[in-house]
Amino acid sequence: MAAAGAPQERTLLVFGDSLSAAYGLKAEEGWVTQLQNRLRQQGYVYKVVNASVSGETTAGGRNRLARALDTHQPAIVILELGANDGLRGLPVPAARENLGAMIRAAQERKARVLLVGIQMPPNYGPRYAESFAAMYPQLAQEHKVPLVPFLLEGVALDDRLMQADGLHPNAAGQPRLLENVWAHLLPLLER
């Protein structure tokens, strides 16, 4: 039982793919664990639940989200999906619809949503890459949610911060991912 006057712990749900699941790293090296540590250090009373699954697509996430929302009842959802749709060349309108449905589901349960954007490399063709990149700001505007423009900003093109696969940040890149998210998350946090 919480002491009288003590703030009640809220849940922050990170719902993403391998970029948030610390793929190829120890869990404690990932940006999500670093987020939990920062919240504690700065006096925010949040429990971070990482429901990220490596390889997850927006369709898979859409199928899983209701259960995660019901189980954890988060105050905030960080939604970081789409990279696997893009890497598989799946249709952007389907990804957009899935992400929109997930945002609506979280908002219907009174959770605040932070949408995390991903970009595709230009070798997927300029039309696809541009359409994919535009999807996130369009969704953020449509659903009135804040947006991290590009999770891998300052990381993706730096070999020192990426694993050998060229797709996943290494341990040295994780603090930058946290910084990319933190600035947009901060206005959503409550003391």
Side-chain angles (χ1 to χ4, degrees), residues 25-44:
L25 306 171
K26 296 177 186 147
E28 60 269 17
E29 293 176 314
W31 74 266
V32 176
T33 300
Q34 293 177 22
L35 171 62
Q36 177 69 82
N37 296 338
R38 180 175 291 182
L39 288 166
R40 280 197 192 114
Q41 290 165 357
Q42 296 198 9
Y44 291 100

Side-chain angles (χ1 to χ4, degrees), residues 3-126:
Q8 187 168 350
E9 184 177 67
R10 296 175 184 89
T11 299
L12 189 158
L13 178 68
V14 179
F15 200 78
D17 52 34
S18 58
L19 296 173
S20 296
Y23 176 86
L25 306 171
K26 296 177 186 147
E28 60 269 17
E29 293 176 314
W31 74 266
V32 176
T33 300
Q34 293 177 22
L35 171 62
Q36 177 69 82
N37 296 338
R38 180 175 291 182
L39 288 166
R40 280 197 192 114
Q41 290 165 357
Q42 296 198 9
Y44 291 100
V45 186
Y46 283 88
K47 174 180 73 173
V48 176
V49 174
N50 193 351
S52 302
V53 174
S54 292
E56 187 75 279
T57 61
T58 59
R62 184 175 182 177
N63 289 334
R64 282 192 316 116
L65 183 61
R67 183 171 181 181
L69 292 171
D70 292 342
T71 300
H72 302 292
Q73 300 180 357
I76 298 173
V77 175
I78 297 177
L79 181 58
E80 179 273 305
L81 283 171
N84 290 303
D85 296 62
L87 291 173
R88 295 172 188 179
L90 299 176
V92 173
R96 189 180 194 288
E97 170 56 33
N98 289 331
L99 288 166
M102 287 186 273
I103 294 168
R104 287 190 300 276
Q107 289 176 329
E108 286 165 5
R109 288 167 173 85
K110 307 295 185 232
R112 295 176 174 191
V113 177
L114 175 60
L115 182 61
V116 178
I118 300 296
Q119 296 176 11
M120 288 296 107
N123 60 320
Y124 281 77

Side-chain angles (χ1 to χ4, degrees), residues 123-144:
N123 60 320
Y124 281 77
R127 252 178 73 198
Y128 187 83
E130 288 167 16
S131 174
F132 193 90
M135 168 176 69
Y136 293 97
Q138 290 166 356
L139 283 163
Q141 184 175 19
E142 179 181 330
H143 296 281
K144 297 176 175 52

Side-chain angles (χ1 to χ4, degrees), residues 159-176:
D159 291 340
R160 298 168 302 169
L161 302 178
M162 296 295 288
Q163 295 182 39
D165 65 8
L167 298 173
H168 299 95
N170 61 26
Q174 298 297 312
R176 181 62 191 261

